[in-house]
């Protein structure tokens, strides 16, 4: 599958509402992962569902995420692109100005049919803040309400904001879908 961008997956009203709800949720944790090159990477993460876990950690957000998957599948179908619709993993990441170590080059899954969806969840974003997303070397600018859909086996990484974002966090939602 060629990496695809869908604009306006989320309306401005939905973005403002969901951003406020997600940021104010008390279940955020600091996720730490060891890498050979960078030591420990730490980033705020709100886990909704992990792979292999049949029970979600936040069922209301899981239901919202599953409806997003169906919405995105319908939009892609109009472009003659198909994706699996079983939500296997979902979480939110928050990054902010000055935290360069929060993003590293990685894949989400080695499966042949697994697809990743990255949603840009911050309702206000200025181009000079940067915060792009890169898949296999291709840059996708942070655009509120848009989604980047790609093969989960592709290497990708996010980019931290490079200037003051005036209290807006770079909020993304990472969803992995697979065949049922």
């Amino acid at each position: 599958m060629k990496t695809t961008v869908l604009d306006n997956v989320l309306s401005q009203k939905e973005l403002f509402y969901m951003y406020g709800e997600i940021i104010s949720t008390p279940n955020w944790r600091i996720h730490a992962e060891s890498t050979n090159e960078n030591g420990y990477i730490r980033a705020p993460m709100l886990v909704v569902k992990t792979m292999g876990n049949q029970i979600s950690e936040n069922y209301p957000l899981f239901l919202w995420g599953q409806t997003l998957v169906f919405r995105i599948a319908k939009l892609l179908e109009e472009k003659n692109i198909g994706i699996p619709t079983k939500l296997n993993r979902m979480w939110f990441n928050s990054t902010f100005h000055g935290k360069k170590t929060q993003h590293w080059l990685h894949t989400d899954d080695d499966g042949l049919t697994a697809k990743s969806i990255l949603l840009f969840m911050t309702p206000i974003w200025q181009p000079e803040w940067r915060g792009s997303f890169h898949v296999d070397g291709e840059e996708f600018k942070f655009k509120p309400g848009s989604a980047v859909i790609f093969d989960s086996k592709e290497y990708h990484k996010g980019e931290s904001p490079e200037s003051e974002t005036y209290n807006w966090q770079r909020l993304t939602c990472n969803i992995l879908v697979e065949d049922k």
Side-chain angles (χ1 to χ4, degrees):
M1 169 184 180
K2 183 180 182 317
T3 300
T4 303
V5 175
L6 294 175
D7 291 328
N8 303 313
V9 172
L10 303 170
S11 71
Q12 193 71 11
K13 282 185 178 183
E14 187 176 12
L15 273 175
F16 272 104
Y17 177 79
M18 291 305 296
Y19 182 87
E21 292 296 312
I22 293 161
I23 291 297
S24 64
T25 298
N27 299 37
W28 285 86
R29 61 178 95 153
I30 299 298
H31 174 71
E33 185 167 320
S34 176
T35 66
N36 292 335
E37 303 89 34
N38 300 320
Y40 281 96
I41 308 281
R42 289 173 293 282
M45 173 185 276
L46 175 61
V47 174
V48 176
K49 185 175 186 305
T50 57
M51 287 178 47
N53 186 353
Q54 297 302 318
I55 301 170
S56 75
E57 295 188 33
N58 186 315
Y59 195 66
L61 282 176
F62 169 77
L63 289 176
W64 178 77
Q66 185 63 69
T67 65
L68 277 178
V69 169
F70 292 133
R71 185 186 313 176
I72 288 166
K74 175 98 171 116
L75 291 169
L76 289 172
E77 193 176 279
E78 294 169 5
K79 297 176 177 251
N80 293 319
I81 301 170
I83 63 166
T85 56
K86 180 185 177 201
L87 192 156
N88 198 12
R89 185 190 76 200
M90 178 179 175
W91 61 57
F92 294 91
N93 288 314
S94 175
T95 55
F96 43 89
H97 172 60
K99 296 296 178 189
K100 301 280 185 207
T101 62
Q102 291 178 324
H103 300 285
W104 66 97
L105 193 62
H106 67 282
T107 62
D108 287 341
D109 190 85
D110 293 332
L112 297 175
T113 62
K115 306 294 181 214
S116 292
I117 301 168
L118 184 89
L119 291 149
F120 297 123
M121 299 292 301
T122 308
I124 302 290
W125 200 260
Q126 301 297 321
E128 61 269 15
W129 297 350
R130 302 274 307 139
S132 293
F133 183 66
H134 301 266
V135 179
D136 199 25
E138 186 176 359
E139 180 180 22
F140 299 92
K141 305 273 187 200
F142 192 104
K143 187 173 180 186
S146 295
V148 180
I149 302 97
F150 57 98
D151 286 328
S152 297
K153 63 183 182 223
E154 295 292 333
Y155 279 93
H156 59 279
K157 71 179 215 137
E159 174 184 76
S160 294
E162 291 190 8
S163 66
E164 182 59 49
T165 57
Y166 307 101
N167 296 325
W168 290 102
Q169 296 178 43
R170 179 189 180 274
L171 184 65
T172 57
C173 178
N174 182 297
I175 297 173
L176 189 132
V177 293
E178 294 183 306
D179 291 326
K180 293 181 180 184

